[in-house]
Amino acid sequence: MAVPAPHGEPAGPAFPSVPSDLAGLLRARLEAVADQVEDEVRRQVPEYAGPPDGMYARNLRAGVVQALTLFVDHIADPRGRSDAIASTYYELGRGVALEDRSLDALQSALRIGGMHAWRLMGRTAEELGLDSAVVAALGELAFRTVHEVAEAAAAGYAEGRLRSTDELERRRRRLLELLLGEGPVSLEAVQDLAHGARWSVPRQVAVVVLAAPADQSEEERPLAAAGALVDMGSRPPRMLLPDPDGSGRFGGRAFTLALRGRPAAIGPTVPLTEAAQSLRWAARALRLMGRGILPRQGVVRCADHLSTLLLHGDEPLLARLETRVLAPLDTATEGQRPRLAETLLAWLLSGSNVPDVAARLHIHPQTVRYRLRQLEKLFGDALHDPGTRLDLILALRAEELREQETPSEGW
């Protein structure tokens, strides 16, 4: 038999007429049939075999009675509709989704219950001596009933999954805001929110910030599925990685591929309640990437550039340090100054070893000695003071990084 289209005219040939008084006879037996259908579903579907107050079983009786009532109503009026009963199954499907359960058990219950109900009611029709054409028509109505309630349950399930997903995302967004906010973070508050967001609380985290607006469907889904808390709507887009050093989920090539070539900065790994610090450092690294001070493309890990991040933690103060410490270089000619600065930094970093400086700069050692004599005249004994040498390294390194700066549009 062809399964008729729900909520409308049956498909295929028109139904033979069904005696209208049959609806009353079957309605009188509805409770007895419901008892047997309920027992059959409990026997064959494990999820419904639990205690009567379980999440699966508690709505079983009402659902069976509703479906049987819809079947009998179709007998009384084959062209009629019962939106109230369809609504019941819509809510059943929706509830299954909101409880994060599979629709399989409900669909199995509908198939098994529908077939068993038809056998019982078909037997009643044969006992009444109805001819085969009427029995066949009743079979069509039984299939129509099962189809209608199954379709209503599936529609409710689809809506519930969407609602459940939206709610889960909202809770995770709220959790991320708590972790990355400016105020102190209570571990108890995090654990409460994490429970509702179905997120396992890690010991350590790292925050990633990404360049440019995000295509949420491209980056968010695989990373969120791996346990990351993701907010692609923030500026810049950001995500929190749980235990980034404890597994391969967020390391190496796999993570880079998940970002689909998007430049990103990963903050240092920190305790969970200090996630805002990781965000602050990652955001600073991203800004330096945009200026060309750090590599502009790929994934930059803050842990590999801590000294650069430290230098640019207070740029006005850094500028004052450069002005004070490098003042003697300002007396050199415009052509001499960059060469002297380059030589001085190499000399300081090489432990005052002339051959090493020459190799580093690809110049003759005698050239190095000549420049060092010039630097001695400019700085005097200060070149041998440990404190001054440290200040010179910081100032010269900052100047070197600034010369690499090439701001790009769009960052």
Side-chain angles (χ1 to χ4, degrees):
M1 301 180 189
V3 178
H7 303 312
E9 296 281 347
F15 286 143
S17 61
V18 178
S20 58
D21 57 351
L22 180 59
L25 293 173
L26 293 178
R27 203 182 301 276
R29 302 189 181 189
L30 192 146
E31 288 293 332
V33 171
D35 289 339
Q36 296 183 58
V37 170
E38 185 177 359
D39 290 342
E40 185 69 11
V41 171
R42 289 185 186 278
R43 187 178 68 83
Q44 293 202 44
V45 185
E47 289 84 352
Y48 288 92
D53 59 345
M55 65 175 63
Y56 277 96
R58 59 180 175 236
N59 293 321
L60 176 58
R61 177 69 181 192
V64 169
V65 171
Q66 291 273 25
L68 292 174
T69 300
L70 179 61
F71 173 62
V72 173
D73 288 347
H74 281 329
I75 295 173
D77 181 7
R79 298 177 182 275
R81 297 173 54 176
S82 181
D83 292 335
I85 293 175
S87 176
T88 296
Y89 276 86
Y90 182 92
E91 289 302 320
L92 279 174
R94 182 173 176 273
V96 168
L98 292 176
E99 291 171 352
D100 198 31
R101 295 184 283 124
S102 169
L103 189 61
D104 293 346
L106 179 56
Q107 290 176 327
S108 295
L110 289 174
R111 288 193 300 270
I112 292 168
M115 291 301 298
H116 194 65
W118 162 237
R119 284 195 294 269
L120 294 173
M121 289 194 166
R123 192 179 306 155
T124 298
E126 290 175 355
E127 291 171 358
L128 294 173
L130 301 177
D131 62 42
S132 59
V134 173
V135 173
L138 288 174
E140 290 281 359
L141 288 176
F143 279 113
R144 173 182 174 180
T145 301
V146 171
H147 193 91
E148 282 189 23
V149 295
E151 184 186 60
Y157 185 81
E159 193 274 339
R161 289 293 294 176
L162 179 62
R163 185 75 59 88
S164 178
T165 300
D166 290 345
E167 176 63 16
L168 190 63
E169 290 178 357
R170 186 189 69 79
R171 291 179 182 181
R172 291 193 171 189
R173 194 72 49 82
R174 184 180 171 196
L175 175 59
L176 185 61
E177 290 172 355
L178 171 65
L179 289 169
L180 301 184
E182 295 181 359
V185 177
S186 162
L187 186 57
E188 290 185 2
V190 171
Q191 290 172 333
D192 287 344
L193 282 177
H195 177 75
R198 299 177 197 157
W199 189 69
S200 298
V201 178
R203 294 181 60 189
Q204 295 184 312
V205 295
V207 177
V208 181
V209 293
L210 298 95
D215 181 347
Q216 182 170 333
S217 64
E218 297 295 340
E219 287 106 356
E220 179 167 0
R221 292 174 185 172
L223 293 168
L229 297 179
V230 184
D231 182 4
M232 291 299 182
S234 64
R235 289 295 177 266
R238 60 194 186 180
M239 60 185 71
L240 183 143
L241 310 183
D243 291 322
D245 304 326
S247 70
R249 292 176 299 168
F250 304 114
R253 181 172 174 77
F255 179 73
T256 303
L257 289 175
L259 298 181
R260 301 177 65 86
R262 294 270 305 285
I266 303 181
T269 299
V270 297
L272 176 65
T273 55
E274 298 176 17
Q277 290 277 35
S278 185
L279 170 63
R280 183 165 63 86
W281 290 321
R284 183 183 302 171
L286 188 68
R287 290 193 296 271
L288 296 177
M289 290 172 67
R291 291 164 54 182
I293 292 175
L294 290 178
R296 191 184 301 281
Q297 300 301 321
V299 177
V300 169
R301 297 182 179 273
C302 288
D304 298 333
H305 302 277
L306 294 179
S307 61
T308 300
L309 294 172
L310 178 63
L311 276 176
H312 292 82
D314 189 334
E315 298 205 41
L317 186 60
L318 178 61
R320 287 181 176 272
L321 175 67
E322 291 181 62
T323 299
R324 181 181 65 81
V325 177
L326 301 182
L329 286 176
D330 294 338
T331 62
T333 66
E334 186 175 346
Q336 287 179 320
R337 191 190 189 285
R339 291 193 294 270
L340 291 175
E342 178 186 55
T343 302
L344 178 56
L345 180 59
W347 181 71
L348 291 167
L349 293 177
S350 65
S352 307
N353 187 298
V354 171
D356 284 353
V357 175
R360 183 190 292 254
L361 301 182
H362 306 290
I363 58 178
H364 196 278
Q366 191 59 36
T367 304
V368 175
R369 293 188 183 94
Y370 171 73
R371 294 179 183 176
L372 287 174
R373 286 195 294 270
Q374 292 180 294
L375 290 167
E376 288 278 1
K377 292 178 182 179
L378 294 175
F379 287 91
D381 293 339
L383 285 182
H384 304 287
D385 176 68
T388 302
R389 288 167 71 98
L390 175 60
D391 287 347
L392 282 168
I393 291 173
L394 295 174
L396 289 166
R397 177 58 178 156
E399 186 175 80
E400 181 183 58
L401 289 171
R402 191 170 58 254
E403 289 172 357
Q404 301 172 11
E405 187 172 348
T406 53
S408 173
E409 295 181 4
W411 276 71

